């Protein structure tokens, strides 16, 4: 019986505990806050400077100045690059001058052989025929004389004679025409008419056009005679 009473008592206590737990508001747990001492701000260290009476005085350090200006560095680099380029160009020009001087001092055997070469007469004859055609086809005396001389330049360039580096196309053409043994008068007259048409302030006239045609015909006739003479000499041998 005592055990039964004890059990009943325990059960009653449990029921009462449950009722109280249901009626009472929910439990709240507040966190424990520990207030620690906060450190006090320390004053900035100051430099001690001696006063005139020998005692040290506390003064704040001088503020830092602005950063140094380095914009001049890029101009210095640019100047260095320009100087390097100029030096390279000077070296290149010196080498080119040395090479040119070397070639000028060296005898050129090819030029000597070319100086003794004779032009091909049929090629010059074709050039004279083309020059006369241009004189007749172009009405303007200036353009006609220039075109006729250029036809002779093309023929001289194809005649088998090599032009020297120092010769201009005009000098080379006059030289080739003179190698064939023709009289100098038609060559010099035709050359003078060409230079006048090319550079003079006064343009050539119709009479100049007639003179140019006469010179070209004289050259063509002389070359034809030379070609026939060579043919006869070759057949006779």
């Amino acid at each position: 019986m005592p055990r039964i009473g004890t059990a009943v008592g325990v059960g009653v206590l449990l029921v009462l505990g449950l009722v109280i737990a249901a009626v009472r508001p929910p439990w709240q747990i507040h966190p424990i806050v520990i207030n620690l001492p906060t450190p006090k701000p320390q004053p900035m260290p100051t430099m001690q400077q001696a006063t005139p009476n020998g005692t040290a005085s506390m003064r704040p350090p001088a503020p830092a100045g602005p950063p140094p200006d380095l914009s001049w560095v890029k101009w210095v680099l640019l100047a260095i690059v320009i100087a390097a380029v100029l030096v390279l160009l000077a070296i290149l020009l010196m080498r080119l001058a040395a090479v040119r001087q070397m070639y000028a001092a060296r005898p050129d055997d090819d030029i000597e052989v070319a100086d003794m070469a004779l032009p091909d007469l049929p090629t010059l004859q074709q050039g004279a025929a083309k020059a006369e055609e241009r004189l007749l086809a172009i009405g303007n005396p200036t353009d006609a004389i220039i075109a006729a001389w250029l036809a002779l330049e093309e023929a001289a360039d194809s005649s088998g004679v090599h032009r020297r580096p120092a010769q201009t196309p005009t000098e080379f053409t006059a030289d080739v025409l003179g190698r064939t043994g023709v009289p100098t008068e038609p060559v010099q007259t035709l050359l003078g008419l060409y230079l006048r048409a090319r550079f003079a302030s006064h343009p050539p006239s119709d009479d100049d056009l007639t003179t140019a045609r006469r010179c070209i015909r004289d050259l063509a006739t002389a070359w034809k005679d030379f070609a026939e003479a060579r043919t006869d000499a070759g057949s006779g041998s």
Side-chain angles (χ1 to χ4, degrees):
M1 293 295 291
R3 291 182 178 179
I4 296 175
T6 303
V8 172
V10 172
V12 172
L13 291 177
L14 291 176
V15 171
L16 292 175
L18 293 175
V19 172
I20 293 172
V23 175
R24 191 181 182 280
W27 295 84
Q28 296 182 355
I29 301 176
H30 298 281
I32 300 175
V33 180
I34 302 176
N35 295 324
L36 297 177
T38 57
K40 297 182 179 180
Q42 298 293 330
M44 295 294 297
T46 57
M47 299 180 62
Q48 296 183 358
Q49 298 181 356
T51 58
N53 55 8
T55 61
S57 64
M58 303 300 291
R59 291 185 180 180
D69 185 12
L70 300 178
S71 60
W72 56 270
V73 175
K74 62 180 181 180
W75 298 108
V76 173
L77 295 178
L78 180 60
I80 293 175
V81 172
I82 294 176
V85 172
L86 293 177
V87 170
L88 291 177
L89 289 177
I91 294 174
L92 181 61
L93 292 176
M94 292 175 61
R95 290 187 177 181
L96 289 176
V99 172
R100 186 175 181 179
Q101 184 177 4
M102 179 184 67
Y103 278 101
R106 188 180 65 180
D108 196 342
D109 297 336
D110 295 338
I111 293 178
E112 292 178 359
V113 174
D115 285 341
M116 296 185 296
L118 293 177
D120 183 60
L121 289 180
T123 302
L124 296 181
Q125 288 177 333
Q126 294 176 3
K130 185 181 295 185
E132 189 173 2
E133 290 177 0
R134 293 181 180 180
L135 285 177
L136 297 175
I138 302 175
N140 186 288
T142 301
D143 298 337
I145 293 175
I146 293 176
W149 181 266
L150 293 179
L152 295 178
E153 283 190 358
E154 295 171 0
D157 188 61
S158 304
S159 64
V161 179
H162 300 284
R163 180 166 63 93
R164 289 175 295 179
Q167 283 183 319
T168 64
T170 303
E171 295 172 346
F172 172 69
T173 302
D175 182 29
V176 172
L177 298 181
R179 293 186 188 189
T180 58
V182 295
T184 58
E185 189 274 331
V187 176
Q188 296 299 325
T189 301
L190 191 59
L191 176 59
L193 291 174
Y194 167 73
L195 295 176
R196 178 181 175 184
R198 188 74 181 270
F199 302 108
S201 58
H202 300 288
S205 61
D206 294 336
D207 294 337
D208 295 329
L209 187 62
T210 303
T211 302
R213 185 178 180 186
R214 177 184 59 81
C215 293
I216 292 176
R217 284 185 174 182
D218 292 343
L219 293 176
T221 301
W223 291 332
K224 182 180 179 181
D225 295 339
F226 292 153
E228 292 176 355
R230 288 183 182 180
T231 303
D232 295 339
S235 60
S237 61

